[in-house]
Amino acid sequence: MKRKTNYQLAALPIFAALVSAGLSQTPTGSPKGKRGEPEQAQPESKASSSATNPLGAQEWKLKELNGEPIEQRDGAGAKPPDLKFDAEKKTVSGSTGINRLAGGYQLDANKLKFGNLATTRMAGPEELTKQETEFVDALETVDSWKRTGDRLELMSGDKVVAVFAQPAQ
């Protein structure tokens, strides 16, 4: 058991470095500020943000998975499952409830497809591990989406597989 734990802990920094390297690259031709560092983007207005990122730049908290409500648990390293979309980089990141999740996505009107999703591999309670597996499996089947105000539905065919809501600000 100790070896497995050490292996999992050793994999976490490697995963974080890979995600950081892939998500923090400056695109060619980006404006440079002082000392050659990329300039910080100015915040967009809510209207222009929704036009460029219809899935929203904020965090989405999972409320339902395969038609079942999600119990929000905190503590013991568990975080409520969530997703955040970055339209510029076409990446998604978040939490499965136990582990961190990252990957790419393709968006075309109401069509949505997740690319290779990677997760950290930390252990957790059996119930949350089962929920995590169902969550990642559901994301891999998603082919469309619908957003109504602060509610985001991810669908596979005609079936809603995941419902998210924006946390209160």
Side-chain angles (χ1 to χ4, degrees), residues 67-85:
E68 297 293 325
I70 296 298
E71 290 183 38
Q72 303 299 321
R73 293 187 185 96
D74 290 319
K79 295 180 180 179
D82 63 62
L83 292 179
K84 185 172 183 178
F85 296 87

Side-chain angles (χ1 to χ4, degrees), residues 7 11-12 14 23 26 36-38 70 74 87 90-91 93 100 121 127 131 138 140-142 149 154 156 158 161 164:
Y7 172 74
L12 186 58
I14 293 167
L23 300 181
T26 303
E37 296 171 2
I70 296 298
D74 290 319
K90 298 286 188 213
T91 58
S93 60
R100 299 295 305 153
R121 305 300 292 164
E127 184 177 315
Q131 176 181 287
E140 291 175 350
T141 70
V142 168
L154 301 183
S156 178
D158 292 336
V161 295
F164 295 84

Side-chain angles (χ1 to χ4, degrees), residues 26-127:
T26 303
T28 306
S30 292
K32 303 285 183 182
K34 294 178 185 176
R35 298 185 219 160
E37 296 171 2
E39 286 185 2
Q40 296 295 318
Q42 296 301 318
E44 295 180 356
S45 71
K46 190 167 188 146
S48 69
S49 176
S50 65
T52 59
N53 189 359
L55 296 172
Q58 70 285 329
E59 193 172 78
W60 291 96
K61 296 284 186 188
L62 184 65
K63 297 298 180 184
E64 293 178 23
L65 182 60
N66 295 318
E68 297 293 325
I70 296 298
E71 290 183 38
Q72 303 299 321
R73 293 187 185 96
D74 290 319
K79 295 180 180 179
D82 63 62
L83 292 179
K84 185 172 183 178
F85 296 87
D86 184 324
E88 184 179 320
K89 296 176 185 173
K90 298 286 188 213
T91 58
V92 63
S93 60
S95 169
T96 64
I98 302 170
N99 289 289
R100 299 295 305 153
L101 171 134
Y105 71 92
Q106 296 175 349
L107 181 67
D108 182 20
N110 71 330
K111 301 295 180 196
L112 173 65
K113 188 73 179 159
F114 291 100
N116 299 319
L117 296 174
T119 62
T120 54
R121 305 300 292 164
M122 297 186 353
E126 185 177 336
E127 184 177 315

Side-chain angles (χ1 to χ4, degrees), residues 112-157:
L112 173 65
K113 188 73 179 159
F114 291 100
N116 299 319
L117 296 174
T119 62
T120 54
R121 305 300 292 164
M122 297 186 353
E126 185 177 336
E127 184 177 315
L128 290 179
T129 301
K130 181 180 179 219
Q131 176 181 287
E132 175 182 82
T133 300
E134 289 178 26
F135 180 54
V136 174
D137 289 349
L139 293 178
E140 291 175 350
T141 70
V142 168
D143 57 18
S144 63
W145 65 281
K146 179 170 67 171
R147 181 175 175 182
T148 308
D150 292 345
R151 180 181 167 99
L152 175 66
E153 295 178 350
L154 301 183
M155 296 174 282
S156 178

